């Protein structure tokens, strides 16, 4: 985190555990619901 008061997309991975990238169709999501 750069503590600029904004949540940047790369900063969301640490909290969500989901890496965001250019190929979401290739992501391995262990379950299909919340």
């Amino acid at each position: 985190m750069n503590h600029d008061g904004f949540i940047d997309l790369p900063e969301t991975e640490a909290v969500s555990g989901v890496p965001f990238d250019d190929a979401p169709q290739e992501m391995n999501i262990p379950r299909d619901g919340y």
Side-chain angles (χ1 to χ4, degrees):
M1 288 189 233
N2 58 6
H3 302 285
D4 63 358
F6 297 97
I7 299 173
D8 302 314
L9 188 59
E11 296 172 342
T12 61
E13 182 179 351
V15 175
S16 68
V18 178
F20 292 98
D21 58 22
D22 293 341
Q25 70 278 9
E26 296 178 14
M27 289 175 52
N28 179 17
I29 301 172
R31 52 191 162 166
D32 59 359
Y34 290 96

